Amino acid sequence: MSGHSDDSETKTGDDRGADSDGPIDPALVPRAEDAHLIIGGRVTVPVLAFAVAILASIALAWVYAIGGQPQAEGIFLALALAGIGIGLVSWAHRFLPAEEVEEHRAPLASPAAELEALEDDLDLADEEVGRRKILVRMLGGVAAAFGVAVLFPLRSLGPRPGQGLTTTPMGKGVRLVTPEGSPVKPGDIATSGVLTVMPEGHLDDANSPTLLIRLTAQQFGPQTSREGYGLGTLVAFSKICTHAGCLVGLYESNQGLLFCPCHQSTFDVTKGCKVIFGPAPRDLPQLPIGMDDDGYLVAEGDFERPVGPGFWTQDRDS
């Protein structure tokens, strides 16, 4: 029994010598308490950093809740962000592996049957690509044809405006008539009276409404009318406000003022319908008037400048 025990011990010693280069130093063997110290040292810095971030965040919320203080909020916010950043960085350095690991794999070869099937699929794919090209070309043809077809309905939109926003049917010799179409004579307008007129044959033209106004001799002055535009104390101005296109129809005869009911732009007729109040950007254009052989009022030409809102003719007037 004793000999057998010695042999076992001898064999164990031989085996230990064969598996190692020499005797193992007990100082190099990690102990459980040492492992706890290593892990504890790794955890300490991230834990402390996160703890600082938590406390700073709570303090930030508390300061904000009691009314706020910019300096204190800035400090606590900086501490919270710094704690989070330091904790994450230290966590990564201490616990995440830094070495690069490669996994070696044996070459992978496909069976011959799969390779043949792949070749067949590629042949089918060539046919499919050819079919797709045909479809793409057909789609392009449809788009082109439809695009051309869409152009034709544009003709139904009517003619281009051209000079329609800068001119009116008023012209030399065109009679001025009431909205009902009756011609007007100078005597039809009393002193301090006002009458809306239109060019004969164009009662529906939106740019043509005109105000005929007869001023008193005291109101009529050198600034009232352009030379050759008036007929005695009778003057004519566009009825379309130069602000937003409303019809200016309120006339205060005592002061010779025209008012726009939309935005209260005010024009002084005694000064050539000059803007004296409101958002209108331009004076009302004046129409040259005269009298034909039958004694009826006619236009001697178009308005001195384009009528209507300033945005219609901004580039032309600037």
Side-chain angles (χ1 to χ4, degrees):
M1 293 294 292
S2 61
H4 178 73
S5 175
D6 292 339
D7 292 341
S8 299
E9 291 178 357
T10 303
K11 184 177 180 181
T12 304
D14 294 339
D15 292 343
R16 182 182 301 174
D19 295 339
S20 62
D21 295 336
I24 298 176
D25 188 355
L28 299 178
V29 178
R31 297 177 299 175
E33 57 269 23
D34 294 336
H36 285 298
L37 291 176
I38 293 173
I39 296 175
R42 291 181 177 180
V43 171
T44 300
V45 175
V47 168
L48 290 177
F50 290 146
V52 171
I54 293 173
L55 294 176
S57 300
I58 295 174
L60 176 61
W62 178 76
V63 171
Y64 182 81
I66 63 176
Q69 209 284 332
Q71 289 77 13
E73 291 175 359
I75 293 174
F76 291 134
L77 179 61
L79 288 175
L81 294 177
I84 295 172
I86 293 173
L88 292 176
V89 172
S90 60
W91 187 348
H93 279 294
R94 285 167 170 76
F95 292 99
L96 298 181
E99 67 275 8
E100 296 183 0
V101 179
E102 295 182 359
E103 181 181 359
H104 297 283
R105 295 183 179 180
L108 300 177
S110 300
E114 292 185 2
L115 293 177
E116 293 178 0
L118 177 61
E119 292 179 358
D120 294 339
D121 291 340
L122 292 177
D123 292 338
L124 293 175
D126 291 338
E127 297 179 4
E128 184 68 20
V129 170
R131 294 173 182 174
R132 290 184 179 181
K133 287 183 179 180
I134 294 175
L135 291 176
V136 170
R137 291 172 183 172
M138 291 298 295
L139 179 61
V142 170
F146 183 75
V148 173
V150 169
L151 295 177
F152 286 95
L154 295 178
R155 297 176 59 88
S156 301
L157 298 179
R160 296 178 58 185
Q163 298 295 318
L165 298 180
T166 59
T167 61
T168 73
M170 295 291 189
K172 187 174 179 60
V174 175
R175 278 188 177 179
L176 304 180
V177 298
T178 64
E180 293 76 24
S182 302
V184 179
K185 292 185 176 181
D188 295 337
I189 306 168
T191 302
S192 298
V194 60
L195 179 65
T196 299
V197 294
M198 300 287 292
E200 188 175 30
H202 299 277
L203 300 181
D204 296 329
D205 187 78
N207 293 343
S208 298
T210 305
L211 289 175
L212 287 174
I213 304 172
R214 185 178 294 280
L215 298 171
T216 64
Q218 292 77 16
Q219 292 173 331
F220 195 90
Q223 297 181 348
T224 303
S225 173
R226 296 169 62 91
E227 185 176 356
Y229 273 63
L231 187 64
T233 58
L234 187 64
V235 291
F237 293 93
S238 172
K239 192 176 181 178
I240 302 175
C241 182
T242 56
H243 172 230
C246 299
L247 294 180
V248 181
L250 303 178
Y251 180 58
E252 205 288 311
S253 59
N254 291 332
Q255 299 182 21
L257 300 179
L258 279 172
F259 299 91
C260 176
C262 295
H263 306 98
Q264 290 74 53
S265 293
T266 306
F267 305 89
D268 190 345
V269 181
T270 66
K271 295 181 180 179
C273 275
K274 180 180 179 62
V275 181
I276 61 174
F277 179 79
R282 300 183 301 139
D283 305 339
L284 292 178
Q286 187 173 7
L287 177 71
I289 57 175
M291 191 168 53
D292 62 13
D293 296 337
D294 296 326
Y296 293 105
L297 289 173
V298 296
E300 295 292 341
D302 205 348
F303 289 91
E304 57 176 313
R305 58 179 179 272
V307 303
F311 64 83
W312 286 359
T313 55
Q314 183 175 3
D315 296 336
R316 184 178 295 272
D317 293 342
S318 59

